Amino acid sequence: MENADYKFMGIALEMAGAALARRQFPVGCVIAADGRVISRGKRDHSRGQETNELDHAEITAIRGLTIPIDRRRGLTLYSTMEPCLMCYATIILNRIPRVVYAYEDLMGGGTATDLGRSAPLYRDAVVKIIPGIRRRESLDLFARFFRDPDNDYWQGSQLARYTLEEAGNEG
């Protein structure tokens, strides 16, 4: 593991902790280049009447980019959870060549999607995926979220069951 990966995932974990403190799904994301954070985001609107599936941490961070799309070769996106298919497609469209994530999303993760039969824009994309960086810390945040009976987002789902089982097995 690169030292920078550990460092920037730590910042993403802080963002996830801030989301959890607001009782939101604890996903944090930072985008880094040249040794510094250039954009960040955290999950929002995962509870209550404003619940939606658009305000993902990765989408928020990508919206904050100010680097022109043709100059993004050196970017790395760090997320506390494996990006979903929507976020992964957005990463590809925004030409972010490297993704580092902490905790696998066995229910909705998109990074293992076989793009070989898709349109050329996706099929020809090259994105390096590095999983499992600071996984335990991220797992702990998700376990705290799912243990809270007042949080109803994905409660009882395959992801919730897996997370609580993993937390028990690793704890």
Side-chain angles (χ1 to χ4, degrees):
M1 163 179 36
E2 291 184 29
N3 192 32
D5 290 346
Y6 188 87
K7 171 188 163 184
F8 290 120
M9 187 60 73
I11 299 168
L13 286 162
E14 290 172 11
M15 300 294 295
L20 184 62
R22 291 180 18 256
R23 305 189 65 212
Q24 300 291 325
F25 197 54
V27 181
C29 178
V30 298
I31 301 174
D34 301 322
R36 63 186 178 86
V37 172
I38 59 170
S39 190
R40 60 183 75 210
K42 60 185 172 293
R43 180 65 164 101
D44 206 3
H45 299 115
S46 63
R47 61 177 291 124
Q49 292 182 340
E50 295 181 358
T51 300
N52 72 62
E53 289 301 336
L54 295 174
D55 294 329
H56 288 204
E58 298 90 339
I59 301 297
T60 302
I62 291 169
R63 280 185 180 146
L65 286 176
T66 58
I67 295 173
I69 201 160
D70 61 338
R71 295 176 50 204
R72 294 182 179 176
R73 286 182 293 279
L75 301 185
T76 299
L77 182 142
Y78 296 87
S79 183
T80 58
M81 176 170 267
E82 177 184 3
C84 71
L85 190 54
M86 172 185 71
C87 291
Y88 189 45
T90 303
I91 289 164
I92 290 169
L93 290 172
N94 281 276
R95 299 185 190 167
I96 299 171
R98 189 167 182 268
V99 173
V100 178
Y101 68 82
Y103 183 56
E104 66 278 6
D105 182 354
L106 83 142
M107 187 173 84
T111 64
T113 301
D114 178 8
L115 300 173
R117 293 178 46 164
S118 63
L121 182 62
Y122 300 98
R123 180 183 61 232
D124 298 340
V126 178
V127 179
K128 183 174 184 181
I129 308 293
I130 295 99
I133 304 299
R134 299 184 76 164
R135 180 184 185 271
R136 180 66 212 196
E137 293 162 84
S138 186
L139 171 62
D140 289 345
L141 290 173
F142 287 103
R144 283 178 44 207
F145 178 84
F146 286 124
R147 285 185 186 120
D148 182 346
D150 291 333
N151 289 325
D152 60 359
Y153 186 74
W154 292 120
Q155 283 292 5
S157 68
Q158 180 185 17
L159 178 62
R161 291 189 306 273
Y162 176 77
T163 299
L164 294 173
E165 181 180 306
E166 286 291 299
N169 289 339
E170 291 188 15

